[in-house]
Amino acid sequence: MITAPAPKLMMKRQDGQYRELDWESEQMTIGRDAANDIVIDHPLASRRHARLERTTDGYAVRDLASTNGTFVNQERIEGLCTLHNHDQIIIADTVIVFQDPEATVKGILPPELLRAAREELRVNVKTKEVFIQGQLLQPPLTVKEFHLLELLYSRNGQVVSKDEIAGQVWDYEVFDYNAIDALVYRLRQRIEVDPAHPRYLITQRGFGYKLLTTPPA
């Protein structure tokens, strides 16, 4: 008799923490209380927030009348919600990606999902925070440094020209490209372990700059 593989839960916190968990129990509770199977120690999470359940039809998540809600693929749910492969459960600052066991046999996770889950460098546009390998960058970047990083981050590895950087970061034409080079230099001093050999902020000679958030090992 062949036993079906257990579903996987890929969990990513806003601070960059990432872990995978096999769903092997009939039920798994999620919440802020330490007695839960999955603990989310965040003030927006209720003590008993939600419950993962095996049903006759497959797998589901149930909101336990939480204060701030349980979301599946950005939509707030009420009561029980059936889960499908790659559905995203959002609770407080945590995203839990459900990986269906049958789909595991048929294929693999999309590359873009794996990249997002394993980003070494992440920019939170709303809070204006930068995380590098899960650690909050302190002190914060200057306004210009953050605007440059935000622009490059939004392009996801694409090359951005100096002309576009001038227009987006300064909001007017900058004829002295030395100002851009100096800004890139300062940003590298903040985000790179070895600024002389950058891992994230890469120069594409003759074209501009690009940001690699998941550089090769």
Side-chain angles (χ1 to χ4, degrees), residues 41-55:
D41 54 345
H42 191 279
L44 294 179
S46 297
R47 293 176 63 83
R48 284 177 56 82
H49 195 108
R51 184 169 61 233
L52 298 170
E53 303 179 4
R54 290 179 186 260
T55 69

Side-chain angles (χ1 to χ4, degrees), residues 181 184-203 205 209:
D181 294 334
V184 169
Y185 173 84
R186 294 197 300 272
L187 182 56
R188 278 181 175 148
Q189 296 299 313
R190 296 300 318 281
I191 67 173
E192 300 284 1
V193 174
D194 183 1
H197 301 88
R199 178 175 175 85
Y200 305 114
L201 208 173
I202 308 300
T203 300
R205 294 194 180 279
Y209 301 96

Side-chain angles (χ1 to χ4, degrees), residues 9 11 13 19 21 23 27-42 44-53 60-66 69-72 77 83 89-97:
L9 302 172
M11 292 176 284
R13 300 288 300 273
R19 70 186 180 110
L21 179 69
W23 181 351
Q27 296 184 350
M28 298 178 69
T29 57
I30 307 172
R32 197 173 71 249
D33 192 283
N36 288 287
D37 299 295
I38 299 175
V39 178
I40 299 178
D41 54 345
H42 191 279
L44 294 179
S46 297
R47 293 176 63 83
R48 284 177 56 82
H49 195 108
R51 184 169 61 233
L52 298 170
E53 303 179 4
V61 59
R62 183 188 299 275
D63 181 73
L64 300 178
S66 63
T70 300
F71 297 79
V72 175
I77 67 171
L83 293 173
I89 305 166
I90 304 171
I91 296 175
D93 70 335
T94 302
V95 177
I96 303 173
V97 180

Side-chain angles (χ1 to χ4, degrees), residues 128-199:
K128 307 302 181 187
E129 293 176 320
V130 178
F131 296 89
I132 300 178
Q133 296 188 8
Q135 299 298 313
L136 177 64
L137 184 65
Q138 291 284 15
L141 298 175
T142 65
V143 173
K144 284 285 190 295
E145 290 168 352
F146 185 85
H147 284 170
L148 173 59
L149 185 61
E150 180 183 11
L151 172 62
L152 295 173
Y153 185 79
S154 69
R155 296 303 179 82
N156 190 28
Q158 299 177 7
V159 177
V160 181
S161 69
K162 289 187 177 182
D163 286 330
E164 187 169 0
I165 292 174
Q168 294 287 335
V169 177
W170 274 269
D171 296 324
Y172 57 83
E173 289 189 29
V174 176
F175 296 97
D176 184 5
Y177 288 149
N178 290 329
I180 297 175
D181 294 334
L183 181 60
V184 169
Y185 173 84
R186 294 197 300 272
L187 182 56
R188 278 181 175 148
Q189 296 299 313
R190 296 300 318 281
I191 67 173
E192 300 284 1
V193 174
D194 183 1
H197 301 88
R199 178 175 175 85

